[in-house]
């Protein structure tokens, strides 16, 4: 077999892995969430509308792959994986609101506030956030995680999603719009707004699997590198992609005067940086051997993506 064939086979088998793990998360969330007919129907439907709109499921799959890398069971990591997707979806709904990015397209569909109105969109985000903690507090089968590990996961997610992480990053981002931003400030925005949740996905995967401190620290550094690289690529896609390929509005960063990696460093340097960050992240998890391979391929996929 030639090297090209081997690469293609590895890619195809990773695509199957990604689709399979994403389907497990979707089925778990679908069983967990109240059906759309549950009163008040508007909120049950708004939650489902955004959650099942075709997101890539990268954060929950990272939780599962990190757990697998250190010998954990996928079933036991499902509640944490679902919690990450619900927090992430809530942040997208709120980010799209008129008071923030004021966007009308997300995941290839009209945004929540366009369909349900602003009040329901705010509440759908709020409901997703509380569902995220409720699923970890009382996870349905097959998740059999100990109370101690669930509590640690709740602490990790609330810190990463809160004012010291994602919410704080959003504030830095909003406050820097239309102003010149230096490289260090830009990195801080990216690390908080996007990186914190991705770093926490890798950490929580390790925690639910009962990883050693050394392995947790490896996965923390891995998640940090991949989190920053992911946002750099998001900045590049905003310049190079289209509404149709991205499923969200392209060219938005420049229009709203946002600080981005291509703006501060140029597009070639941005590409190089994303690739270096992922290479060194993948290097850090080499000690996990074959068990860490899906996680390494996920990191590479996250910077090669086209949407
Ligand atoms: C509003 C509390 C609050 C926080 C907002 C995460 C965030 C902070 C805003 C979302 C908008 C945005 C551009 C964030 C950067 C992170 C990012 C690239 C999100 C998109 O993630 P993907 O590509 O999306 O994984 P899908 O739809 O595939 O899940």
């Amino acid at each position: 077999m030639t090297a090209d064939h081997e690469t293609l086979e590895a890619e195809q088998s990773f695509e199957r892995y990604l689709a399979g793990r994403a389907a497990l998360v979707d089925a778990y969330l679908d069983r967990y969430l109240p059906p759309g007919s549950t009163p008040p129907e508007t909120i049950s439907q708004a939650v489902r509308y955004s959650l099942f709109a075709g997101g890539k499921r990268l954060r929950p799959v990272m939780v599962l792959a990190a757990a697998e890398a250190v010998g954990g069971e996928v079933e036991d990591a499902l509640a944490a994986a679902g919690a990450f997707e619900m927090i992430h979806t809530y942040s997208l709904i709120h980010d799209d609101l008129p008071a923030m990015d004021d966007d009308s397209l997300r995941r290839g569909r009209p945004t929540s506030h366009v369909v349900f109105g602003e009040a329901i969109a705010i509440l759908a985000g709020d409901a997703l956030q509380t569902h995220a903690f409720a699923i970890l507090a009382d996870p349905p089968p097959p998740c059999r995680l100990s109370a101690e590990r669930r509590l640690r996961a709740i602490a990790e997610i609330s810190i990463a999603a809160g004012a010291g992480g994602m919410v704080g990053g959003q504030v830095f981002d909003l406050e820097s719009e239309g102003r010149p931003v230096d490289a260090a400030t830009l990195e801080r925005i990216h690390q908080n707004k996007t990186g914190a949740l991705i770093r926490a996905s890798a950490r929580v995967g390790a925690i639910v699997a009962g990883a050693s401190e050394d392995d947790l620290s490896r996965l923390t550094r891995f998640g940090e590198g991949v989190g920053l690289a992911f946002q750099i690529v998001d900045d590049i896609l905003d310049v190079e992609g289209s509404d149709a390929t991205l499923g969200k509005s392209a060219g938005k960063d420049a229009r709203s005067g946002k600080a981005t990696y291509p703006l501060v460093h140029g597009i070639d340097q941005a590409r190089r940086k994303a690739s270096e960050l992922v290479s060194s992240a993948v290097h850090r998890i080499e000690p996990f051997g074959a068990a860490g391979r899906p996680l390494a391929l996920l990191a590479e996929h996250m910077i090669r993506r086209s949407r």
Side-chain angles (χ1 to χ4, degrees), residues 54-59 85 88 90-92 94-95 100 106-107 166-167 170 193-194 230-231 234 248 305 307:
K56 297 184 289 296
R57 307 303 195 228
L58 299 173
R59 295 155 193 79
E85 188 58 32
H88 168 59
Y90 123 68
S91 80
L92 300 180
H94 281 194
D95 185 64
M100 296 214 208
R106 173 68 69 179
R107 294 180 162 170
M166 182 179 77
V167 166
Q170 178 78 344
K193 184 178 80 168
T194 312
F230 180 81
Q231 183 56 50
D234 197 69
K248 60 182 180 181
R305 72 193 202 276
R307 70 179 180 105

Side-chain angles (χ1 to χ4, degrees), residues 95 101 144 149 169 181 249 282 296:
D95 185 64
D101 265 9
R144 308 150 304 186
R149 288 185 193 175
V181 161
S249 309
V282 165

